[in-house]
Amino acid sequence: DLASTRHSTSQGCDDAAAALHTLFDSLGLNPQYQNHTAGHAPNVFGTIVGSTAPDEVVIAIGHLDDMPSSGPAPGADDNASGTAMVTALAEAMSCYSWSRTVRFLAVTGEEFGLYGSEHYASQAQSAGENIVAVLNADMIGWEGDGNPAVEDLDVNTNSGSAWLGTLMREAADEYDTGLVVNDFS
């Protein structure tokens, strides 16, 4: 049976957000909904508060919504794969304490023009949230179209997060993944 659409304005997306809220709650992540645009399913996030540097926030984000707006639309690549990364990290990391605050964020309205992520970013900026790193997983399940011939991972950084791109490249090399990591600013 094919999954129904998770189009941002659909019941399927609301249901998916509720399922993530339930998962985050079961992991002790104090989940919250964040409404952003009338008629769209809410963003949902869970948080592990940092033990020694709680004011420094690391975010793992994926968008929950997909296309098209009706009919079967499992959206496995775009972007259930990104949401799967967020939930897998939440499950793995929730058993530990971390020096920095870690936020697991699933946003909606992205297929409409980044509604959910822009709202979250605007609210975080207004609140003075000190975001030190963001792992934004979009279409990480993409099998590839042969261009480039060997698929790679593009890690786009700014000057404050260049260390993260370097770390990801070094980890891929150290663990001999065979994955080419292109980190750039």
Side-chain angles (χ1 to χ4, degrees):
D1 186 30
L2 292 176
S4 67
T5 184
R6 286 186 324 281
H7 192 260
S8 190
T9 60
S10 74
Q11 185 61 48
C13 198
D14 280 322
D15 293 346
L20 282 177
H21 190 280
T22 299
L23 173 66
F24 290 161
D25 190 45
S26 75
L27 297 171
L29 301 178
N30 302 311
Q32 295 181 36
Y33 289 113
Q34 183 185 52
N35 294 309
H36 57 82
T37 307
H40 289 262
N43 294 338
V44 60
F45 61 89
T47 305
I48 300 171
V49 177
S51 60
T52 59
D55 60 324
E56 296 180 6
V57 180
V58 175
I59 296 174
I61 182 176
H63 74 87
L64 186 58
D65 59 319
D66 73 357
M67 296 293 280
S69 62
S70 64
D77 176 44
D78 190 7
N79 189 39
S81 62
T83 305
M85 180 207 78
V86 172
T87 59
L89 286 174
E91 289 173 343
M93 296 175 74
S94 65
C95 301
Y96 302 96
S97 69
W98 302 92
S99 59
R100 293 176 169 148
T101 292
V102 182
R103 182 147 305 125
F104 306 96
L105 173 60
V107 293
T108 63
E110 299 307 278
E111 298 292 359
F112 284 80
L114 309 179
Y115 292 178
S117 58
E118 285 184 350
H119 181 79
Y120 181 87
S122 175
Q123 294 296 305
Q125 182 178 32
S126 293
E129 192 168 285
N130 182 17
I131 300 171
V132 297
V134 176
L135 301 173
N136 182 3
D138 193 12
M139 296 179 60
I140 63 172
W142 174 243
E143 185 179 354
D145 58 3
N147 187 12
V150 176
E151 287 297 322
D152 57 16
L153 175 64
D154 293 334
V155 181
N156 189 353
T157 63
N158 60 21
S159 60
S161 64
W163 63 272
L164 188 55
T166 301
L167 180 65
M168 291 183 86
R169 188 176 37 19
E170 289 172 350
D173 291 344
E174 177 72 23
Y175 291 98
D176 196 25
T177 64
L179 178 66
V180 176
V181 177
N182 298 317
D183 61 296
F184 56 91
S185 298

